[in-house]
Amino acid sequence: MPSAVDIRNVSKSFGRGAYAVEVLKSVSVEIAHKEFFTLLGPSGCGKTTLLRLIAGFEAAQKGQILIDGVEMSSLPPFQRPVNTVFQSYSLFPHLTVAQNVAFGLEGTGASRSEVKRRVGEALEMVRMGDFECRKPSELSGGQQQRVALARALAPRPKVLLLDEPLSALDLKLRKQMQIELKQLQEEAGITFVFVTHDQEEALTLSDRVAVMHQGRILQLDDPRTIYEHPSHRFVADFIGDINFLEGRVDTRGVIALKCGAVLADSRAGATHGDISVAIRPERAKRVPTGQGNVDGTLIQSVYLGTGLLHQLRLPCGSVFLLREAAAEAAPLPAHGGTVGIELPAAAISVFAS
Amino acid sequence: MNLRRMPFTREIGWLVLAFLYLPVFILVLYSFNGNRTATVWTEFSVKWYARTFHNPSIQVAAWNSIILAITASFGSTVLALLAAMAARHFFKGRSAVEATLNAPLILPEIVIAVATLILVVSVGVELGLMSMIPAHVAFCIPFAYLPIRARIQGMDAGMEEAAMDLYCNRFSTFRRVTLPLLWPGVLAGFTLAFVTSLDLFLVSFFLAGPGSTTLPVYIYSAIKAGISPEINAISTIMLVVSIALVMVSFAFGRMRR
């Protein structure tokens, strides 16, 4: 069975001649059926352009895009079996909610009663059944968001494209919509291609995440692998909090860090020379002074509810973040006191620098 | 600087308003005057309106004016809409094209009228409605173009992408999304063009042939024989028609939103 979306060596530049900017550099990715697939990256990384290429709003200079095995490159947006949820929703202001949702169904050959039934279903799915006769301007941001979702889902596209659909909502509503979006995707059984710059959102929702940077996909993995085993320094830095410790590794895989710690890592031997070691704040462990890989001076301790976040000064001068569960935390020394830091071998990632 | 503190601001304001509207008010008032003399009020009467309606040359002139205004506003609105759609995306020479379209706004009307007359005569087209219609259309284009252009610039291009995403081809996108969203601008452009054409004097005066006199041209020639209350009546009717038209189109524009 062909993939839901198959992107092959797609390149795209904007502008001409000396002013051309290459926003996608030979990107290839296969997205499976019924997958919740996320394109994650900072603004300008090319994620929205890739989405617009799939929708057909832009044309690639090189490469192919196949949807369900069918080559799409020469087809205009209205002949592609995809629908889009736009960042600004783009609901038609002159039409009611029901007319907006019916928009993509009209002209598909569905009878009037069929259209009415499917509009009702789609609005029910996003719990907006009572708002059929309202105009978009009479709805709140969250409600508009739901209508935009219903409008894009009603024609039952093979792939649903979502361009930062939650970015305009406030935090609480965003969290709620994230859960609903995930449920909706599972219920509808449709492939979702989701674009976001919010790493937390990407990790929560996705089956797989493609982290993009400067027109390339740096890492393509499930959220857990992306978070725990980032393949690039950029990915490690972009996703969540992380500590970077500079140092050198020799051919036997022994790492000497500038802050004084010495670690052994069998995988690091291949990249001997200058390296940086990355470790998440919650993966480092606080141990009694002298018993860890390195000692740090306590600068500040913040209570986060779910845990404690300590800021520690390492001997080399850099700041190290360490998080631990509040309930299990051993008594803390006074500010300016020293604690031991253990860097478990399984928790570190090593990048050439 | 606070303008309200300036001396005589209020007085100057009232004077300007009086200067603008008092003559119009008096014209309307005297159209109901029973006396033949335009300056002496005697009694209320609508006889000048009755006479106006039964005057065959006024009937012909009114008919010509309406035909001209409808065709000119329709033609110029369609052309202006097409031009505004085309001018949405940048192309080399776009500002030159827009300047050319809007030329009637700044060129002296007398120059356009004389130039068009010379053109019509040298091409050999007969003077009359057939030469007046294209001249009116061309003259009215900027009045239709500017409101449509303003509306297009304020329109979210994402709307059309959304329509195309929902399986509309270019034509049905235009019909189902672009045109309805531009509608208030189109309506405003149409109304402005209509009122402009109704009021256009010099172009009509130069290009009118026998039997194709318009209302402004008729009034001009009638006034040479002296100001008659009949003229007050026609002018009042034109005033009411123009105001009514603008109000109707304003109401429609609000309704669509």
Side-chain angles (χ1 to χ4, degrees), chain A residues 292-313:
Chain A
N293 302 79
V294 65
D295 285 345
T297 321
L298 188 64
I299 306 170
Q300 202 184 23
S301 216
V302 186
Y303 178 64
L304 299 172
T306 52
L308 290 165
L309 183 66
H310 308 303
Q311 272 182 36
L312 306 164
R313 172 92 56 206

Side-chain angles (χ1 to χ4, degrees), chain A residues 111-124:
Chain A
S111 69
R112 193 176 292 180
S113 58
E114 169 81 357
V115 169
K116 199 169 154 45
R117 190 177 60 76
R118 280 170 66 177
V119 167
E121 273 177 17
L123 282 174
E124 222 38 69

Side-chain angles (χ1 to χ4, degrees), chain A residues 52 57 77-78 80 82-84 86 91-94 103-104 106 151 155, chain B residues 156 158-159 161-170 176-177 180-181 257:
Chain A
R52 289 174 61 80
F57 300 134
F78 49 87
R80 300 189 182 201
V82 298
N83 290 128
T84 309
F86 296 89
L91 295 176
F92 304 122
H94 59 296
F103 197 92
E106 285 156 10
R151 182 178 74 175
Chain B
D156 177 7
M159 292 296 162
E161 283 190 350
M164 297 236 268
D165 189 63
L166 292 160
Y167 317 118
C168 277
N169 59 28
R170 278 170 212 290
R176 295 179 66 189
V177 173
L181 290 178
R257 231 175 287 161

Side-chain angles (χ1 to χ4, degrees), chain B residues 78-124:
Chain B
V78 169
L79 290 175
L81 180 61
L82 295 175
M85 294 282 293
R88 201 147 52 131
H89 306 289
F90 182 81
F91 55 87
K92 244 188 186 160
R94 180 173 68 173
S95 17
V97 168
E98 289 201 292
T100 314
L101 281 176
N102 292 330
L105 288 178
I106 39 164
L107 286 183
E109 194 189 336
I110 183 79
V111 174
I112 296 178
V114 172
T116 316
L117 176 67
I118 294 171
L119 174 78
V120 164
V121 169
S122 61
V123 171

Side-chain angles (χ1 to χ4, degrees), chain B residues 204-223:
Chain B
S204 299
F205 184 72
F206 277 60
L207 296 178
S212 58
T213 311
T214 62
L215 276 179
V217 175
Y218 174 84
I219 294 174
Y220 174 75
S221 48
I223 222 157

